[in-house]
Amino acid sequence: MSARPRRDASRAGLAARVPPPAWPLAALLGFAFAACDADAPPPPLEGPCEGPPGLYAAGSCATLAEGVRPYAPRHALWSDGAAKGRWVYLPEGAVIDTTDPDEWVFPVGTRLYKEFSLDGIRLETRLLEKTDPEPGLSSWTATTWVWDETQRAVREETAGLADALGTPHDVPSRAQCGACHRAAVDLALGFGAVQLAHEGPGVTLAMLVAEGRLSAPIAPADAQIPGDATTQAALGQLHANCGGCHRGERAPGELRLRVDVGLARAEDASAYAAVDRAVAYVGAPPAVTAQIVPGRSDASLLVWRMTQRASDAQMPPLGTQRVDEAGVAAVRAWIDALPAR
């Protein structure tokens, strides 16, 4: 990895109507890996179909458009059990600015797609498209495309939609997109070094390095989550579900939950900055005494907020109405294993 100034590491029934044709292999593998937190997404449709702009070849929802490739983050964002497919388009020859390996800046023309489905029913496909070379919210266009009951056409949705196609899934409004994405320097959250440092299907960090797509190459070994299996599971969960906002020097509550590139020890991981940090959060029960209390997940504000829903206390604050029980269990196991102080 190229030398650069380092930050302090501690900041650190519809389904029955859809025929089941076969996927192109690359797309199928990308879907399967991306859906590690939910049921398998539906296969693409053969025959006439008009999907989200630029994702598929014209008139098709089975063949990806030229240059569009599936990818999958190593640690999935919890979306109330919805299955997700993800794809990326990078303009031919374009290079991602990775001068800061934790805050990638994308070339104009980059497109990132994320599709949500439940019980085999496509619900929505979100699209982020980079339209200006400068990083930041104003340089991207965010659109959401909602699938209809035929599962062969989409329409743009800007105001948000509750209970899409009779499911519990809510489609966010365009204004809500920035609520989660604005904390990143250049909006993209799941397409970065730590999330792509795996050997699964789809676009990976090693692939981007080999293709010369990164201005400063990042070794996959430098983008690993440190610690034993228990620590890795918890920090990966926090990185994916909390690190989008809880990052950098202005992390909410000084609670930094993103894992930075280059960490070598579990003790350096971002979440450790909050160990034993006292809190006085309104609404928390008296037993909750600090952000993270080593050996006491029951007394840790982090866990309490992960278990809240339908209130200002819930975390993440958007995009979920159900507690991620497996995610909470992973974080509890890690905190309970920390040596008491």
Side-chain angles (χ1 to χ4, degrees), residues 253-293:
E254 298 184 38
L255 180 59
R256 293 179 283 277
L257 301 176
R258 183 186 63 180
V259 176
D260 289 338
V261 169
L263 294 179
R265 302 178 303 163
E267 306 89 83
D268 295 328
S270 307
Y272 279 82
V275 170
D276 279 333
R277 185 184 296 278
V279 297
Y281 186 81
V282 176
V288 171
T289 59
Q291 298 274 26
I292 298 173
V293 183

Side-chain angles (χ1 to χ4, degrees), residues 18 54 64 69 86 89 92 102 116 128 133 135 148 151 153 169 172-173 184 197 214 223 240 251 276 293 297 320 336:
V18 181
L64 293 175
R69 297 187 288 178
R86 298 173 178 85
Y89 171 80
E92 184 176 358
D102 296 308
F116 295 75
L128 288 174
D148 69 9
Q151 299 282 277
H169 180 81
S173 68
L214 308 183
D276 279 333
V293 183
S297 62
T320 169
D336 289 337

Side-chain angles (χ1 to χ4, degrees), residues 13-18 31 39-43 45 81-85 115-125 145-153 163-169 171:
L14 282 174
R17 308 180 195 175
V18 181
F31 256 144
D39 59 338
L45 296 169
K84 296 186 285 290
E115 182 176 280
F116 295 75
S117 62
L118 276 172
D119 299 326
I121 303 171
R122 289 176 184 80
L123 301 174
E124 59 159 321
T125 304
W145 301 85
V146 176
W147 292 82
D148 69 9
E149 290 192 358
T150 71
Q151 299 282 277
R152 292 185 177 275
D163 299 335
L165 292 179
T167 72
H169 180 81
V171 177

Side-chain angles (χ1 to χ4, degrees), residues 1-2 33 69-75 88 90 95-106 190-225 239 259-263:
M1 189 172 74
S2 299
F33 193 81
R69 297 187 288 178
Y71 75 94
R74 183 177 179 182
H75 299 278
V88 60
L90 295 172
V95 173
I96 302 169
D97 182 352
T98 53
T99 303
D100 182 338
D102 296 308
E103 296 287 2
W104 292 7
V105 178
F106 293 86
F191 193 84
V194 172
Q195 288 284 39
L196 296 178
H198 60 73
E199 297 180 355
V203 175
T204 65
L205 179 60
M207 185 182 298
L208 294 173
V209 172
E211 293 172 353
R213 291 289 196 157
L214 308 183
S215 67
I218 302 168
D222 289 331
Q224 299 303 311
I225 294 176
H239 180 89
V259 176
D260 289 338
V261 169
L263 294 179

